[in-house]
């Protein structure tokens, strides 16, 4: 095979992205925007595109939703490189990473229930995290080891929380005293990403391993992006603040730093969020009502200003 002379080869950076839906419902227009944005960027950048099913929540996962995701994406004209990664096959990797963070004193078990947390913050408010949930008031932060052991022996359910203060100190030391940042790319052709200061402290002692499954969204997503070699994370602006926490976990776990593009969300023509009925109508329902992929793309172009 003839080699192209070096001067004619593209010098563009490697580009590998993914669409990562959670199979607890059918895809709607917001998902279509995410999938089409990532797929379109991969095509434009001569890159690659993967599909990852984020099914750590086994209770809420339905196989029919997984099948529908595949079918709806194909209908939209979105294609990906096989195999599809299922997060439910990755529990051992999540367990190993959590165990290493626990060994390093960066996580601690928390037995508190939602109502105990609500009661504590009602008396002594802690403020809210970027998702609007109360910041963890520290109920189990300083449990005596014997007490933790007793409750574990009693099979009380617990999650593992990040000791945020300690994690920030350790990450700071690990990155040679540099402050934590992430790279946000507008996705305009030929542009380089902006460097954004990350502020993971606003998440407080976030849950890294949930009570009901061996990971959390945050832990699973950083481990899988690294394992799959994702160079560019393309996802909606609703996950922008989560990137602060993802960068912290990447530093603590020694994982590579992808470039992020958080795309705009769907808006009505008047700039408000897209009306509920349209936002929540599934692609399948729209297809059944006669919508075509071209019509969906037009709606997305007009609605995502
Ligand atoms: N599974 C997440 C969701 O459906 C997306 C994760 C990501 O793109 O980082 O919202």
């Amino acid at each position: 095979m003839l080699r192209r002379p070096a001067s004619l080869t593209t010098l563009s950076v490697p580009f590998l992205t993914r669409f990562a839906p959670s199979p607890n419902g059918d895809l709607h227009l917001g998902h279509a925007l995410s999938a089409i944005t990532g797929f379109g960027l991969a095509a434009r950048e001569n890159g690659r595109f993967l599909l990852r099913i984020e099914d750590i929540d086994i209770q809420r996962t339905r196989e029919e939703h997984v099948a529908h995701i595949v079918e709806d994406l194909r209908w939209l004209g979105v294609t990906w490189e096989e195999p599809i990664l299922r997060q439910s096959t990755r529990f051992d990797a999540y367990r190993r990473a959590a165990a290493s963070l626990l060994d390093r004193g960066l996580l601690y078990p928390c037995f508190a229930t939602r109502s105990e947390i609500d009661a504590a913050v009602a008396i002594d408010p802690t403020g809210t995290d970027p998702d609007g949930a109360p910041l963890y008031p520290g109920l189990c932060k300083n449990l005596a080891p014997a007490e933790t052991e007793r409750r574990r022996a009693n099979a009380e359910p617990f999650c593992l929380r990040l000791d945020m203060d300690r994690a920030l100190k350790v990450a700071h030391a690990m990155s040679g005293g540099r402050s934590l940042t992430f790279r946000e790319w507008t996705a305009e052709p030929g542009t380089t990403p902006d460097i954004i200061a990350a502020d993971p402290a606003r998440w407080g002692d976030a849950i890294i391993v949930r009570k009901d499954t061996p990971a959390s969204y945050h832990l699973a997503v950083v481990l899988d992006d690294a394992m799959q070699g994702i160079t560019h994370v393309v996802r909606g602006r609703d996950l922008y603040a989560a990137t602060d926490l993802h960068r912290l976990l990447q530093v603590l776990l020694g994982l590579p730093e992808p470039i992020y593009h958080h795309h705009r969300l769907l808006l009505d023509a008047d700039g408000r969020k897209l009306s509920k009925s349209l936002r929540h109508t599934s692609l399948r329902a729209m297809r059944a009502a006669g919508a075509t992929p071209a019509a969906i793309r037009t709606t997305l172009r007009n609605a995502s200003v």
Side-chain angles (χ1 to χ4, degrees):
M1 203 172 93
L2 276 180
R3 284 255 176 116
R4 285 204 285 173
S7 59
L8 291 183
T9 55
T10 49
L11 293 174
S12 59
V13 284
F15 189 102
L16 175 59
T17 192
R18 79 312 190 265
F19 175 54
S22 309
N24 44 29
D26 282 332
L27 298 183
H28 51 68
L29 275 181
H31 294 111
L33 176 62
S34 246
I36 287 174
T37 304
F39 179 67
L41 284 173
R44 192 191 79 191
E45 301 292 320
N46 289 321
R48 298 164 53 206
F49 180 80
L50 304 176
L51 175 61
R52 182 166 79 218
I53 300 293
E54 302 218 318
D55 57 350
I56 58 168
D57 194 337
I58 311 175
Q59 306 298 337
R60 292 175 69 203
T61 294
R62 297 273 172 279
E63 285 312 309
E64 75 176 36
H65 291 313
V66 178
H68 288 177
I69 287 170
V70 166
E71 202 179 293
D72 292 349
L73 290 174
R74 292 212 173 111
W75 175 72
L76 278 176
V78 170
T79 54
W80 54 88
E81 274 179 34
E82 299 287 340
I84 298 171
L85 180 68
R86 298 278 298 247
Q87 288 193 321
S88 53
T89 64
R90 296 264 300 145
F91 285 170
D92 283 347
Y94 305 152
R95 282 192 192 97
R96 277 196 301 275
S100 86
L101 293 172
L102 190 65
D103 285 350
R104 292 158 66 198
L106 295 166
L107 303 182
Y108 61 90
C110 170
F111 301 88
T113 60
R114 173 69 64 86
S115 48
E116 285 166 345
I117 293 175
D118 288 346
V121 298
I123 298 166
D124 193 0
T126 49
T128 50
D129 72 16
D131 283 346
L135 286 169
Y136 179 64
L139 298 176
C140 292
K141 188 152 189 175
N142 297 309
L143 282 188
E147 170 72 355
T148 301
E149 271 324 301
R150 186 189 63 75
R151 295 175 79 166
R152 284 179 77 155
N154 268 348
E156 267 189 60
F158 62 94
C159 65
L160 293 174
R161 289 184 178 272
L162 191 64
D163 182 335
M164 182 57 79
D165 290 340
R166 191 173 154 80
L168 289 172
K169 283 194 194 104
V170 169
H172 194 68
M174 286 177 74
S175 41
R178 276 190 308 279
S179 48
L180 192 67
T181 57
F182 65 95
R183 292 177 295 169
E184 178 71 17
W185 183 46
T186 61
E188 289 305 317
T191 59
T192 48
D194 295 320
I195 309 288
I196 310 285
D199 178 19
R202 58 188 170 143
W203 290 97
D205 285 3
I207 296 176
I208 301 301
V209 176
R210 287 166 29 174
K211 280 183 180 166
D212 53 348
T213 191
S216 60
Y217 157 62
H218 304 298
L219 182 65
V221 84
V222 297
L223 289 170
D224 288 351
D225 283 339
M227 189 277 283
Q228 294 192 286
I230 299 299
T231 60
H232 291 71
V233 172
V234 177
R235 61 185 181 195
R237 283 232 139 219
D238 48 335
L239 291 168
Y240 189 82
T243 306
D244 293 3
L245 198 49
H246 297 177
R247 281 295 299 130
L248 178 59
L249 290 174
Q250 284 158 358
V251 171
L252 294 173
L253 292 164
L255 304 175
E257 177 190 355
I259 290 170
Y260 289 88
H261 170 58
H262 291 94
H263 63 72
R264 53 214 173 161
L265 301 175
L266 292 176
L267 301 174
D268 275 335
D270 59 6
R272 282 183 323 216
K273 277 200 163 173
L274 198 70
S275 67
K276 257 202 163 152
S277 54
L278 201 49
R279 250 186 307 141
H280 294 293
T281 307
S282 70
L283 295 175
R284 307 179 71 70
M286 295 174 82
R287 179 164 83 222
T292 62
I296 301 275
R297 285 173 190 260
T298 305
T299 307
L300 294 178
R301 250 194 315 279
N302 295 336
S304 59
V305 280

